[in-house]
Amino acid sequence: MQRILSKTLPEHVGETVTLAGWVHRRRLLKSVAFLILRDAGGLAQVVVTDPYTRTRLATLTEETVVEIVGTVVANPAAPAGVEVTEPTVRLLGEPAVPPPFDLYRPALTAALPTQLDHASVALRHRTRSAALRISAAAVAGFRATLDGLGFTEIHTPKIVASATESGANVFAIDYFGTPAFLAQSPQFYKQLMVGVLERVYEVGPVFRAEPHDTTRHLAQYTSLDVEFGFGTDHRDVMAMLREVLAGMLATVAKRTAPELATLGVELPTVPARIPAVHFTEALAIAGAAPDEPDLAPADERALGEWARAEHGSDFLFVTGYPMVKRPFYTHPDPDRPAYSNGFDLLFRGVELVTGGQRLHRHADYLAALAARGEPVEPYASYVDAFRHGMPPHGGFAIGLERFVARLTGAANVREVTAFPRDLHRLTP
Amino acid sequence: MQRILSKTLPEHVGETVTLAGWVHRRRLLKSVAFLILRDAGGLAQVVVTDPYTRTRLATLTEETVVEIVGTVVANPAAPAGVEVTEPTVRLLGEPAVPPPFDLYRPALTAALPTQLDHASVALRHRTRSAALRISAAAVAGFRATLDGLGFTEIHTPKIVASATESGANVFAIDYFGTPAFLAQSPQFYKQLMVGVLERVYEVGPVFRAEPHDTTRHLAQYTSLDVEFGFGTDHRDVMAMLREVLAGMLATVAKRTAPELATLGVELPTVPARIPAVHFTEALAIAGAAPDEPDLAPADERALGEWARAEHGSDFLFVTGYPMVKRPFYTHPDPDRPAYSNGFDLLFRGVELVTGGQRLHRHADYLAALAARGEPVEPYASYVDAFRHGMPPHGGFAIGLERFVARLTGAANVREVTAFPRDLHRLTP
């Protein structure tokens, strides 16, 4: 008999069905016992009255995997209005060793490091698996939006000969006896692919040897990268990002309503036009000194509050970051060359996306590297490509874990990452 | 004026339009000159008659990026029946240095190493970009099929504490002073996630320090990984793989008809039931000795021919590979324990997919490692998870580049990989 998922039980009242899943919880009352079964669809209440099965229930520890054959009965007092009665229970593996924390309680009470040490069971908690499903829906929305706009997905090398962003924070690797690095971003490759396919995106891991132990940095995270050609400047990139964010949130809303309810998440609205302030205005709004070269986290929080109060928006663009704080491939603002055509997007007061217009002329790359006193040689295979005709272009990168954390109100990106990697964590 | 793509020109006859793209080719005849413009949509013929623009054309080397404003005129003799006349031409960057090979010829004639050295321009050739678009469509079909079957996409660590498959062929990495490795597959993680989400998939890079220089191995490739619980054995996995392959090919057919035509590809049909032979039969069919523990590439080719001749199928399952040649997590055939519930799928005589049923009982893992004389400790965080209740499960992994190469008839996986990594190649 074909197994069904618990969430479809209301369609099968009066039928004999097969369920399979994990023993989520047992409740042994005087006259009756309940087995709460968990599967990918949710929970099912199984009512046990016969003495033999009741006795067996004692050996079916929480998290044991079982198959249940029983009759679906309507019961308005039961969850979802149905329960399964007269079950036969078959063990599908071995009785489980219960995990070091209770998965059936509304919240995981174990400390985060304990949860992460036992990630493969902690993730089974509904709050943790809900975040993973929301994450998957966000990525699906990212891709669907871009596919609809004529973008092509690419896959680029994660082992590279030179650092992408700067010499710092790279992982070194022995590549057949040659020193190499893990890619900090697909930046160079996605730009080169604009020369091939015009509009590209990549969803993939990026690696940062972050020496800091913060709630928003990981040594590996999933970067949602976009790059496209033939725009005019960074404003086209910002408009594209707005579409992509709206598409991500629409898919999250469509696919994961139960998970959003589990986490008590109210999705933000993406304004038709996301408010934008120039970096110099942003400093003033945040009350920072006008000669600060960057925004501190406290400044970002202040700007997030300002955007909410002034524009009713959870999102705020900060444009025109100083060139000195942006990577060499950043296009300057033609009217104010000390400022860039680069932007950050703040989401509820945290930097979520970095993007901008890039240089596209070979001569500009040579000049930019020279101005920074950097040699061309480490970047040769990248910079040389610009001799062969590249259109004006730009793009952005969204940090997936940071997006989901901010969306779900998680205090730490590790809460929404299946198996995080950081300064102290290489397993599981 | 909004830029349009060349492929939409027939909808704009009589209008003034803006095109933008690369100078694909110039043809200077006595009375008229032609500029063939290439964009993401294809080619457009631009007719130049005025002396000033004709003179400028001499400076617009192949691959220069330009914007064209002109009038669309029907001309049955022109490609697609339309051409653009009376153009004004605006340079969008610098005049390009022509690449070391002609992109406008029907085939790239440069040797493969030369193409790979100059990948960012070689990929602009229609044959190379067509393969990349087909690849993207195949992945889109993979995801769409699995999303429709209740799977959730996951992202797992690429930096791991111990080798996944065996001690050989791993890249070593310095992880904050601790020795670590690049993941050879997401095998362990996707299995653990079956315990969380039941049905999962991942599209991501995997890393193999392949010491061999062959036409079908890369040091980094894109693995399409699937794993799911609550099946009975490997036959459920094979049935799932059949659905996924059919979905991939359907999306390729739907999205990339022009690219398939460019490459002269006829898509294979996936039989409703892909023929399957047991490993012992496969040896006999291939004429190999009955005590061989594995199939040689020549055996696979012979089996591919046999499947085509006997079953009219480009696909063939070989089941029941000897346990000695499969990894420790492989589930044995309960009736013939020297053979596994693992399979390979051959596509046109080449191994394309490996899959099977996995062990799901903690005790079986301990026994399997002991039987191989391997310690448990390096696998502890993986094996321990099986104490906490795991359902019967299985899965498979498709090598994307190998699939696309075999599909498009490419002799070498490097021809369908944007920036391949191998024993000798770390750039571009």
Side-chain angles (χ1 to χ4, degrees):
Chain A
M1 183 168 27
Q2 187 78 28
R3 170 202 183 208
I4 64 165
L5 285 179
S6 59
K7 67 180 172 192
T8 68
L9 280 176
E11 305 161 23
H12 294 277
V13 171
E15 298 173 25
T16 300
V17 299
T18 301
L19 294 171
W22 289 259
V23 176
H24 187 63
R25 192 166 192 191
R26 297 165 295 169
R27 287 212 308 270
L28 297 162
L29 306 182
K30 205 155 203 166
S31 61
V32 66
F34 294 101
L35 185 168
I36 309 298
L37 187 82
R38 186 185 73 241
D39 64 17
L43 302 175
Q45 176 165 299
V46 181
V47 186
V48 176
T49 51
D50 82 283
Y52 170 75
T53 306
R54 186 187 170 107
T55 307
R56 273 198 79 201
L57 216 52
T59 68
L60 299 175
T61 43
E62 271 73 28
E63 296 309 301
T64 297
V65 177
V66 294
E67 184 185 85
I68 306 268
V69 177
T71 306
V72 186
V73 173
N75 177 354
V82 285
E83 58 191 13
V84 176
T85 61
E86 296 175 57
T88 58
V89 178
R90 186 164 74 92
L91 199 61
L92 290 183
E94 312 154 307
V97 174
F101 31 72
D102 294 329
L103 292 175
Y104 53 79
R105 298 193 190 282
L108 268 177
T109 50
L112 186 58
T114 305
Q115 294 183 34
L116 299 178
D117 286 344
H118 303 273
S120 63
V121 282
L123 293 170
R124 297 179 187 178
H125 191 271
R126 59 203 289 260
T127 57
R128 301 291 307 277
S129 61
L132 297 182
R133 290 183 198 274
I134 290 168
S135 173
V139 179
F142 173 83
R143 290 200 196 90
T145 306
L146 291 165
D147 284 352
L149 292 167
F151 282 74
T152 302
E153 185 177 23
I154 58 171
H155 306 283
T156 68
K158 304 308 164 200
I159 306 174
V160 295
S162 54
T164 323
E165 303 293 340
S166 76
N169 298 0
V170 288
F171 288 111
I173 168 179
D174 171 8
Y175 190 75
F176 300 115
T178 300
F181 306 98
L182 291 185
Q184 292 164 297
S185 86
Q187 181 65 33
F188 296 172
Y189 294 104
K190 68 176 180 172
Q191 288 186 257
L192 299 183
M193 291 305 289
V194 167
V196 176
L197 298 165
E198 289 195 19
R199 302 185 148 209
V200 296
Y201 68 87
E202 178 163 16
V203 175
V206 298
F207 306 93
R208 306 277 169 105
E210 284 290 345
H212 310 297
D213 202 355
T214 80
T215 59
R216 60 181 188 169
H217 289 95
L218 295 169
Q220 176 190 322
Y221 68 87
T222 302
S223 184
L224 309 182
D225 267 278
V226 169
E227 198 80 11
F228 63 102
F230 297 102
T232 302
D233 59 23
H234 60 294
R235 285 168 295 194
D236 295 305
V237 181
M238 290 157 64
M240 182 69 76
L241 172 54
R242 192 257 156 221
E243 291 309 301
V244 170
L245 282 173
M248 291 170 72
L249 290 168
T251 304
V252 167
K254 196 171 70 182
R255 288 202 190 179
T256 57
E259 288 77 10
L260 293 168
T262 292
L263 297 176
V265 173
E266 200 166 325
L267 289 180
T269 304
V270 186
R273 208 183 151 84
I274 295 175
V277 293
H278 192 271
F279 180 79
T280 49
E281 299 170 66
L283 287 178
I285 292 166
D291 58 350
E292 282 289 334
D294 208 348
L295 295 173
D299 299 333
E300 295 183 351
R301 281 193 296 276
L303 286 160
E305 283 161 32
W306 178 85
R308 176 119 286 285
E310 288 293 313
H311 295 279
S313 174
D314 286 321
F315 299 95
L316 177 69
F317 278 121
V318 179
T319 63
Y321 276 79
M323 283 296 286
V324 290
K325 296 301 279 184
R326 302 300 260 202
F328 70 86
Y329 49 76
T330 306
H331 200 292
D333 178 347
D335 295 328
R336 304 167 75 183
Y339 296 97
S340 70
N341 273 357
F343 63 82
D344 277 6
L345 178 73
L346 307 185
F347 174 37
R348 295 176 177 165
V350 171
E351 178 223 313
L352 175 68
V353 187
T354 294
Q357 184 188 0
R358 331 296 188 183
L359 300 176
H360 65 282
R361 292 178 181 84
H362 183 247
D364 290 345
Y365 276 89
L366 299 183
L369 285 167
R372 285 163 195 251
E374 283 213 59
V376 177
E377 199 282 326
Y379 307 106
S381 73
Y382 164 61
V383 169
D384 280 359
F386 289 88
R387 294 186 304 144
H388 300 299
M390 284 289 283
H393 64 284
F396 56 84
I398 306 173
L400 176 62
E401 295 80 358
R402 207 178 268 194
F403 175 71
V404 175
R406 208 69 195 143
L407 192 66
T408 61
N412 192 315
V413 287
R414 290 164 186 77
E415 292 175 39
V416 301
T417 307
F419 302 97
R421 289 288 177 268
D422 63 29
L423 190 53
H424 307 295
R425 190 167 290 279
L426 179 57
T427 58
Chain B
M1 185 168 25
Q2 186 79 27
R3 171 200 181 209
I4 64 165
L5 285 179
S6 58
K7 66 181 172 192
T8 67
L9 279 178
E11 305 160 24
H12 295 278
V13 171
E15 298 172 27
T16 300
V17 299
T18 301
L19 294 170
W22 288 261
V23 175
H24 188 61
R25 192 168 191 190
R26 298 165 294 169
R27 287 213 308 270
L28 298 161
L29 307 181
K30 206 155 202 164
S31 60
V32 65
F34 294 102
L35 186 167
I36 309 299
L37 187 81
R38 186 183 73 242
D39 64 18
L43 302 176
Q45 176 166 300
V46 181
V47 185
V48 176
T49 49
D50 83 282
Y52 170 75
T53 306
R54 186 187 170 108
T55 307
R56 272 197 79 201
L57 216 53
T59 68
L60 299 175
T61 43
E62 270 72 29
E63 296 309 303
T64 297
V65 178
V66 295
E67 185 184 84
I68 306 269
V69 178
T71 306
V72 186
V73 172
N75 177 356
V82 285
E83 58 190 14
V84 176
T85 61
E86 295 174 59
T88 58
V89 179
R90 186 164 74 91
L91 200 60
L92 290 182
E94 311 153 306
V97 174
F101 32 71
D102 293 329
L103 293 175
Y104 53 79
R105 297 192 190 280
L108 269 177
T109 50
L112 186 57
T114 305
Q115 293 183 35
L116 299 178
D117 287 344
H118 302 274
S120 63
V121 282
L123 293 170
R124 297 179 187 178
H125 191 270
R126 60 203 288 261
T127 58
R128 301 292 306 280
S129 61
L132 298 181
R133 290 183 199 272
I134 289 168
S135 174
V139 179
F142 173 85
R143 292 199 195 91
T145 306
L146 292 164
D147 284 351
L149 292 167
F151 282 74
T152 301
E153 185 177 24
I154 58 172
H155 306 281
T156 68
K158 305 308 163 200
I159 304 174
V160 295
S162 54
T164 323
E165 303 292 340
S166 77
N169 298 1
V170 287
F171 287 110
I173 167 180
D174 171 9
Y175 190 75
F176 299 114
T178 301
F181 305 99
L182 290 186
Q184 293 164 296
S185 85
Q187 181 64 33
F188 296 173
Y189 293 103
K190 69 177 180 171
Q191 288 186 256
L192 299 182
M193 291 306 289
V194 167
V196 177
L197 299 165
E198 290 196 19
R199 302 185 149 209
V200 296
Y201 68 87
E202 178 163 15
V203 175
V206 299
F207 305 92
R208 307 276 169 106
E210 286 289 347
H212 310 297
D213 202 354
T214 80
T215 59
R216 60 181 189 170
H217 290 95
L218 294 169
Q220 175 190 322
Y221 68 88
T222 302
S223 184
L224 309 182
D225 268 277
V226 170
E227 199 80 12
F228 64 102
F230 297 102
T232 302
D233 60 21
H234 60 294
R235 284 168 296 196
D236 296 305
V237 182
M238 289 157 65
M240 183 69 77
L241 171 54
R242 191 258 156 221
E243 291 309 301
V244 170
L245 282 173
M248 290 169 73
L249 289 169
T251 304
V252 166
K254 196 171 70 184
R255 287 201 191 180
T256 56
E259 288 78 9
L260 293 168
T262 292
L263 297 176
V265 174
E266 200 166 323
L267 289 180
T269 305
V270 186
R273 208 182 151 85
I274 294 174
V277 293
H278 192 272
F279 179 78
T280 50
E281 298 171 67
L283 287 178
I285 292 166
D291 58 351
E292 281 289 336
D294 208 348
L295 296 174
D299 298 335
E300 295 183 352
R301 280 193 296 276
L303 286 160
E305 282 163 30
W306 178 85
R308 177 118 285 285
E310 288 293 313
H311 296 279
S313 173
D314 286 321
F315 299 95
L316 177 69
F317 279 121
V318 178
T319 63
Y321 275 78
M323 283 296 284
V324 291
K325 295 301 280 185
R326 303 298 262 202
F328 70 88
Y329 49 77
T330 307
H331 200 292
D333 178 348
D335 297 326
R336 305 166 77 182
Y339 296 96
S340 70
N341 273 357
F343 64 81
D344 276 6
L345 178 73
L346 308 186
F347 175 37
R348 296 177 175 163
V350 171
E351 178 223 313
L352 175 67
V353 187
T354 293
Q357 185 188 359
R358 330 296 189 182
L359 301 176
H360 64 282
R361 292 177 180 85
H362 183 246
D364 290 345
Y365 276 89
L366 299 183
L369 285 167
R372 287 165 194 249
E374 282 213 58
V376 177
E377 199 281 326
Y379 308 107
S381 73
Y382 163 61
V383 168
D384 280 0
F386 288 88
R387 296 185 305 143
H388 299 299
M390 283 289 284
H393 64 285
F396 56 84
I398 306 172
L400 176 62
E401 294 80 358
R402 209 179 267 194
F403 174 72
V404 176
R406 209 68 194 143
L407 192 67
T408 60
N412 192 316
V413 287
R414 290 164 186 78
E415 292 175 39
V416 302
T417 307
F419 301 96
R421 289 289 177 266
D422 63 29
L423 190 53
H424 307 294
R425 188 168 291 279
L426 179 58
T427 57

